[in-house]
Amino acid sequence: VRPADVSQHGAAVALERRAASALGMGLGSALDSALDELAGVLLKDTALEGVLDLVVSQAVKVLPGVDAGSVTLVGGPGSPQTFAASAAEISEIDALQYESDRGPCLTAVRERRIVAATFHDECEWPEVATAAMGRGFRSLLALPLGEDPVVGSLNLYARSCWGFHEGHIAAGHRFARRAATVVTNATTVAATELINRHLQEALASRDVIGQAKGILRERSGYGDKEAFDELRRRSQRGRRKLRDVAQDVVDSTERTVDSTERTVDSTERTVDSTERTVDSTEREVRQ
Amino acid sequence: VTEMNEILSAGREQLGMSPLDLWTAYIGLGGLANFQRVESYLSGASIPGAADYDLLAQALNDEFIGRDVEGQMPYFEDLDHHITKKSLLQE
């Protein structure tokens, strides 16, 4: 059996019809309830990892012929990357594709089409086939998640050497379309949260650098540019981030202030004590 | 496209740092330009002033330091491109 590629867009309508046929074989209620569960995910309560785990676990549970699964995400740092997998060995097969920069999952993402592959010695992706067969998997159905943009792929692995037939592909396609919406939304929320976090860190850093520049201006009579240049020079000399150098300036000033305050307190106590001694002496003299 | 645009763009690509991450780091150092402006510096659509150039160079240098990777972005005062410097100082 040769790998069969199915165009996602061209065959979408036909696949929907075949999905209905596959659902007539008793899959319908399980798939519907899995799709309902995906649709009901509240992104405010569920992190990206939770959404992806749910997608994979439901796909393995309800889709016919599927023994294991994973989700590949693209577009972020270190991508492509497997973010959820039903078994460690699946992550290993996926990782091999990323290392070699080729394989069914990457083809599904890059060419925006469903790729149904059956692994054998003369397979289009021999290194992936060897890795998969060595772990007991003979077939892979990779479905792109999203259309514009494609955020990744849903990868469905089977131990059967007969691969995925049209009914399987149709049901997988229906599931992936719903999953794509949830995954796309979850990645958007996660990206927004990450940007917010980075911006908060940036604003905190900006505050420290502003304080440090103010201290240097006060101490050395620098202008704003000269103060920044001084921090920049210290950063390069010590090979430390400019924010850390600025923090040192602020901390050292706070230590100096603390020390000065302690000295003032100590001096005040000494003065008080001296005054009491003088008062006492005066009383003794008067007596 | 000036020497400064090319240096910033090459540094960012060397680090694999996204324009958004570079802009965020630039804001953290005190930069004031919006994201679109920084993107235009990277693409060569506009030329950064000396202060913005130094902030972006520092943002990239901080990233080199943070990742413990060899690399050093030149600052405005280090640039050899005297014509570019002269024209910018006149702005």
Side-chain angles (χ1 to χ4, degrees):
Chain A
V1 181
R2 293 286 175 189
D5 296 343
V6 181
S7 160
Q8 184 186 16
H9 301 295
V13 176
L15 283 172
E16 284 295 318
R17 287 200 192 106
R18 286 168 197 149
S21 167
L23 301 179
M25 299 187 311
L27 302 167
S29 60
L31 184 51
D32 280 343
S33 104
L35 295 179
D36 286 345
E37 186 165 352
L38 285 184
V41 169
L42 293 176
L43 295 178
K44 70 181 176 64
D45 297 332
T46 313
L48 176 62
E49 290 76 12
V51 170
L52 298 176
D53 283 341
L54 179 66
V55 166
V56 170
S57 64
Q58 291 288 17
V60 174
K61 187 172 153 193
V62 303
L63 291 174
V66 177
D67 295 306
S70 65
V71 169
T72 300
L73 288 187
V74 296
S79 70
Q81 195 175 339
T82 295
F83 273 77
S86 62
E89 54 203 348
I90 296 301
S91 296
E92 293 165 6
I93 303 169
D94 288 353
L96 191 96
Q97 297 182 57
Y98 312 147
E99 283 165 23
S100 61
D101 198 32
R102 60 196 298 267
C105 306
L106 296 181
T107 301
V109 170
R110 288 169 182 165
E111 299 182 14
R112 299 178 182 199
R113 64 187 173 92
I114 298 172
V115 179
T118 303
F119 297 126
H120 50 82
D121 293 340
E122 295 173 25
C123 173
E124 186 180 343
W125 304 282
E127 64 280 11
V128 180
T130 303
M133 289 192 292
R135 290 164 176 81
F137 294 99
R138 305 297 297 269
S139 310
L140 168 58
L141 179 63
L143 304 121
L145 290 171
E147 291 179 3
D148 189 19
V150 173
V151 295
S153 65
L154 173 63
N155 316 312
L156 306 173
Y157 287 83
R159 295 189 184 280
S160 162
C161 61
W162 299 106
F164 293 93
H165 61 63
E166 285 189 353
H168 295 157
I169 295 170
H173 176 66
R174 186 175 171 208
F175 183 92
R177 283 184 61 186
R178 181 69 61 86
T181 305
V182 181
V183 172
T184 301
N185 290 341
T187 55
T188 303
V189 169
T192 306
E193 286 173 350
L194 188 65
I195 291 169
N196 280 344
R197 211 161 46 240
H198 285 173
L199 273 176
Q200 281 171 359
E201 288 167 7
L203 292 177
S205 161
R206 192 183 175 100
D207 191 37
V208 170
I209 291 168
Q211 286 179 50
K213 285 196 296 188
I215 291 165
L216 290 176
R217 284 200 303 267
E218 187 67 27
R219 269 191 205 159
S220 312
Y222 288 142
D224 192 71
K225 181 186 181 311
E226 287 77 16
F228 181 78
D229 287 346
E230 176 59 25
L231 291 172
R232 179 167 66 72
R233 278 191 290 274
R234 292 186 191 187
S235 161
Q236 290 310 300
R237 269 202 306 271
R239 199 163 167 74
R240 301 179 65 223
K241 287 188 175 187
L242 191 131
R243 184 202 186 287
D244 296 337
V245 170
Q247 187 69 58
D248 285 351
V249 172
V250 173
D251 289 347
S252 73
T253 305
E254 284 174 353
R255 278 196 300 275
T256 306
V257 169
D258 284 348
S259 168
T260 307
E261 283 177 352
R262 277 197 300 276
T263 306
V264 169
D265 286 348
S266 167
T267 307
E268 283 175 351
R269 278 195 301 275
T270 306
V271 168
D272 286 348
S273 168
T274 307
E275 282 176 351
R276 278 197 300 275
T277 306
V278 168
D279 287 347
S280 166
T281 308
E282 281 177 352
R283 276 196 300 276
E284 283 173 13
V285 167
R286 277 198 296 274
Q287 287 168 359
Chain B
V1 178
T2 67
E3 183 189 10
M4 289 196 297
N5 296 114
E6 287 172 353
I7 289 170
L8 292 175
S9 182
R12 187 193 67 78
E13 281 173 21
Q14 186 185 341
L15 287 161
M17 197 175 180
S18 73
L20 185 61
D21 284 344
L22 178 57
W23 175 74
T24 309
Y26 156 88
I27 291 295
L29 291 171
L32 294 171
N34 63 25
F35 176 62
Q36 285 74 19
R37 171 65 74 172
V38 168
E39 265 194 321
S40 74
Y41 294 156
L42 295 169
S43 68
S46 66
I47 303 169
D52 268 351
Y53 172 82
D54 275 346
L55 286 170
L56 288 164
Q58 183 62 44
L60 291 165
N61 280 334
D62 280 350
E63 192 69 14
F64 277 116
I65 292 167
R67 294 189 196 182
D68 200 17
V69 173
E70 280 299 315
Q72 167 72 50
M73 299 294 297
Y75 294 103
F76 185 76
E77 64 189 15
D78 306 322
L79 296 178
D80 291 331
H81 202 303
H82 299 300
I83 297 170
T84 302
K85 283 182 73 170
K86 195 174 170 186
S87 65
L88 281 163
L89 287 170
Q90 284 170 348
E91 278 184 0

